């Protein structure tokens, strides 16, 4: 047994060592946020000589950090709320009413999940930014994010509702509940676990999205975090230390959520792999 | 109103209330752009000209006779092969390590997964700084020649850098899926094998791997699809450079459309990517279904 224990501790230390190596990029990022650009170039691996917070102030100003944070939060929250509501309702409808049209639309949803975003991006820009003139609209970015996530969300909600016994709906109907009331009063509360999963998946995708958002949001005051950091880094290409601070600042909001609910977040992000 | 008509009306109302919002958004965001996109591939639209002309299959011909697109496709294949192998091997090994009953498994899981909660743009820039400044500084100080110039200024090394960073990110993601597979391997099986004197390696090869064949299929196809769609990291780590040597297919499409303003050709390239990704997804469904039947 002792041999077993020794083997376990050895495994533990090997894995720990691998994790530390794995995290090196983040350590380098953090230690260099406190240095001057000069110090960063000369000794990138050393600990900072002093704790200098100036870089953060520069980054906040140059990136328009608070505006970008607000924009990212607005788009993410709007996309998650609307997506949850419409997808959960549709998932419920498709699970309970097996009409031909529902089956057909559900299959079409599934089929549309295989296409990569690149197939839609050019026409979406042409339609929404070009013909309809919605460039620099956070609402349009949220709207497209909702649409892109609908098939997947409906798929998950539908599967979850199918696991809820239909007798529950029957009982509610006998008690005089309409279809709508049954959904909102009986079913929706039961969907909590899957709502968390889908919310995390959609929220992480929207929060971290660069490509789609960047096609629509070009004005300083509409930029989200991912776009703001990109422009900051491309426009001020000699101030490495403030850039490191900007990168760290962009990570912090997600990291706070991750520390609070890593179990749900891992589950939610990986939910994408169940499709198909 | 007859009873039947009333029921019909109620069904229509239910569909309008519960199904229509999602269907409407989906049609306007996905279906209309998709069909419109197919139409675009048959035009010479460049984003500016007011008159758009039909050019037939010219865009598709241009895509397949464009040497830079073929190169970009081949680079993507090389990138995909190495990234898929590296990230799956690493993800599987990490999953083995953290399902072995060692201490602080949750911490390890969360730690290795961290790169997946951060956007590819940010990760790419962090590594960009590491390759451009940190490693070169170290290389110069230590007198290591191949580390004293930035990998990102050297075509082959820039692609290797892209493979390393993508594998670094994706291994934690695949690890979580492998963990789910490994925890489903019946404990009695591995215990029985150990009692019979099987070594740890034999247990892995003869019991664990065959038991998680389905998980392996999911992970492999998932990682193939992700590598073919890789964009963010390509943009922030190498920006396609040096000398356009690391323009992967998704990045190439973006460049054709939004830098060269050749929307018809860009959309035709996107259709090629669509076919590739669709085939990968269908193969995944086919293989995982087959695996489930066995």
């Amino acid at each position: 047994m002792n041999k077993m224990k020794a083997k376990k501790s050895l495994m533990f230390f090997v894995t720990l060592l691998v994790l530390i190596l794995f995290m090196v990029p983040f350590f380098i990022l953090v230690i260099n946020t406190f240095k001057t650009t000069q110090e960063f170039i000369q000794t990138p691996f050393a600990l900072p000589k002093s704790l200098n917070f100036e870089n953060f102030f520069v980054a906040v100003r140059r990136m328009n950090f608070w505006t970008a944070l607000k924009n990212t939060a607005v788009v993410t929250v709007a996309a998650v709320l609307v997506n949850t509501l419409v997808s959960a309702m549709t998932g419920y409808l498709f699970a309970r009413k097996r009409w031909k049209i529902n089956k057909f639309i559900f299959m079409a949803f599934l089929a549309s999940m295989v296409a990569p975003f690149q197939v839609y991006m050019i026409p979406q820009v042409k339609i929404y930014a070009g013909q309809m003139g919605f460039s620099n609209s956070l609402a349009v970015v949220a709207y497209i994010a909702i649409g892109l996530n609908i098939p997947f969300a409906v798929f998950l909600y539908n599967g979850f509702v199918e696991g809820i016994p239909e007798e529950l709906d029957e009982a509610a109907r006998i008690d005089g509940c309409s279809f709508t009331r049954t959904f909102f009063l009986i079913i929706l509360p039961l969907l909590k676990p899957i709502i968390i999963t889908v919310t995390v998946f959609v929220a992480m995708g929207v929060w971290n999205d660069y490509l789609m958002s960047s096609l629509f949001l070009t004005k300083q005051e509409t930029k989200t975090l991912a776009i703001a950091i990109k422009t900051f880094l491309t426009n001020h290409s000699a101030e490495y230390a403030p850039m490191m601070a900007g990168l760290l600042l962009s990570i912090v909001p997600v990291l706070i959520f991750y520390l609070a609910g890593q179990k749900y977040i891992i589950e939610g992000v990986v939910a994408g792999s169940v499709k198909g | 109103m007859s009873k039947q008509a009333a029921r019909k009306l109620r069904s229509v109302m239910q569909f309008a209330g519960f199904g229509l919002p999602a269907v409407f958004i989906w049609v306007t965001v996905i279906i209309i752009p998709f069909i419109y996109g197919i139409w675009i591939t048959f035009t010479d639209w460049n984003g500016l000209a007011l008159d758009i002309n039909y050019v037939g299959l010219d865009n598709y011909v241009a895509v397949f006779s464009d040497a830079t697109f073929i190169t970009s496709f081949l680079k993507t294949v090389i990138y995909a092969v190495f990234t898929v192998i590296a990230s799956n091997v690493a993800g599987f090994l990490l999953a083995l390590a953290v399902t072995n009953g060692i201490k602080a498994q949750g911490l390890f899981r969360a730690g290795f997964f961290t790169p997946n909660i951060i956007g590819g743009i940010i990760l790419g820039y962090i590594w960009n700084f590491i390759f451009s400044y940190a490693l070169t500084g170290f290389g110069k100080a230590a007198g290591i020649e191949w580390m004293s110039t930035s990998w990102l200024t050297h075509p082959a090394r820039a692609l290797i850098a892209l493979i390393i960073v993508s594998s670094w990110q994706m291994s934690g993601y695949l690890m979580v899926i492998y963990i789910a597979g490994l925890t489903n391997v019946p404990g009695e099986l591995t215990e029985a094998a150990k009692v019979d004197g099987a070594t740890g390696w034999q247990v892995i090869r003869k019991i664990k791997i065959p038991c998680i064949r389905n998980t392996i299929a999911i992970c492999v196809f998932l990682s193939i699809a992700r590598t073919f769609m890789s964009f963010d990291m390509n943009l922030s780590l190498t920006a396609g450079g040096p000398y356009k040597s690391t323009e992967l297919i998704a990045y190439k499409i973006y460049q054709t459309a939004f830098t060269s303003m050749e929307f018809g050709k860009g959309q035709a390239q996107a259709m090629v990517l669509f076919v590739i990704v669709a085939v990968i997804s269908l193969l995944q469904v086919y293989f995982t279904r087959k695996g489930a039947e066995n």
Side-chain angles (χ1 to χ4, degrees), chain A residues 65-84:
Chain A
F65 178 77
W66 298 113
T67 314
L69 182 68
K70 193 200 77 200
N71 292 339
T72 317
V74 166
V75 173
T76 307
V77 171
V80 163
L81 286 181
V82 179
N83 183 274
T84 304

Side-chain angles (χ1 to χ4, degrees), chain B:
Chain B
M1 202 194 306
S2 75
K3 227 174 177 178
Q4 210 181 358
R7 195 180 300 149
K8 184 99 194 156
L9 181 70
R10 201 170 58 220
S11 294
V12 170
M13 296 284 280
Q14 281 168 353
F15 183 82
F18 278 72
L20 206 56
V23 173
F24 178 82
I25 300 174
W26 174 73
V27 168
T28 51
V29 171
I30 292 189
I31 296 307
I32 293 175
F34 184 76
I35 296 166
Y36 191 47
I38 295 174
W39 177 78
I40 289 175
T41 63
F42 299 113
T43 69
D44 65 351
W45 175 51
N46 62 8
L48 296 170
L50 288 174
D51 52 328
I52 296 172
N53 304 307
Y54 288 98
V55 294
L57 289 171
D58 282 9
N59 284 318
Y60 290 96
V61 174
V63 166
F64 287 107
S65 53
D66 177 356
T68 65
F69 183 74
I70 306 290
T71 312
S72 157
F73 173 76
L74 293 176
K75 283 262 165 74
T76 312
V77 172
I78 295 171
Y79 162 79
V81 168
F82 285 101
T83 307
V84 167
I85 293 173
S87 60
N88 275 281
V89 170
F92 178 68
L93 290 177
L94 291 177
L96 275 181
V98 303
T99 50
N100 238 344
I102 57 169
K103 271 180 270 172
Q105 295 186 347
L107 177 92
F108 283 127
R109 230 174 271 204
F112 288 120
F113 192 77
T114 311
N116 292 287
I117 59 160
I118 299 164
I121 286 284
I122 294 172
L123 296 176
Y125 277 121
I126 295 175
W127 278 91
N128 192 330
F129 280 106
I130 290 174
F131 280 116
S132 307
Y133 306 107
L135 279 182
T136 51
F138 178 76
K140 273 176 202 152
I144 306 168
E145 198 260 328
W146 54 272
M147 266 170 88
S148 48
T149 54
S150 169
W151 279 29
L152 304 178
T153 58
H154 183 287
R157 287 180 195 162
L159 191 64
I160 295 173
L162 206 51
I163 292 168
I164 292 174
V165 180
S166 303
S167 308
W168 170 76
Q169 182 191 24
M170 213 148 57
S171 55
Y173 187 89
L174 299 173
M175 171 196 73
V176 174
I177 308 174
Y178 279 120
I179 289 174
L182 285 172
T183 39
N184 283 334
V185 176
E188 306 92 65
L189 270 183
T190 51
E191 286 309 317
K194 273 181 199 156
V195 171
D196 289 346
T199 62
W201 170 239
Q202 281 174 326
V203 171
I204 293 167
R205 239 193 63 188
K206 297 275 161 72
I207 296 173
K208 288 187 175 170
I209 291 181
C211 280
I212 61 159
R213 215 179 270 149
N214 217 11
T215 309
I216 297 174
I218 292 175
C219 284
V220 168
F221 282 109
L222 193 81
S223 43
I224 299 175
R226 281 182 66 154
T227 47
F228 270 90
M229 291 189 277
S230 175
F231 175 85
D232 288 8
M233 223 172 248
N234 198 180
L235 175 69
S236 57
L237 184 63
T238 69
Y243 328 113
K244 304 191 174 182
S245 62
T246 57
E247 286 189 331
L248 300 183
I249 191 162
Y251 189 80
K252 179 79 182 167
I253 294 169
Y254 180 89
Q255 289 294 322
T256 310
F258 299 110
T259 305
S260 316
M261 293 296 188
E262 295 173 275
F263 291 98
K265 193 174 159 193
Q267 186 64 27
Q269 292 173 344
M271 295 310 290
V272 175
L273 178 65
F274 166 63
V275 172
I276 295 170
V277 174
V279 168
I280 295 167
S281 304
L282 292 177
L283 282 175
Q284 174 183 355
V285 172
Y286 174 77
F287 277 106
T288 45
R289 287 265 162 82
K290 210 175 143 196
E293 277 162 18
N294 290 340

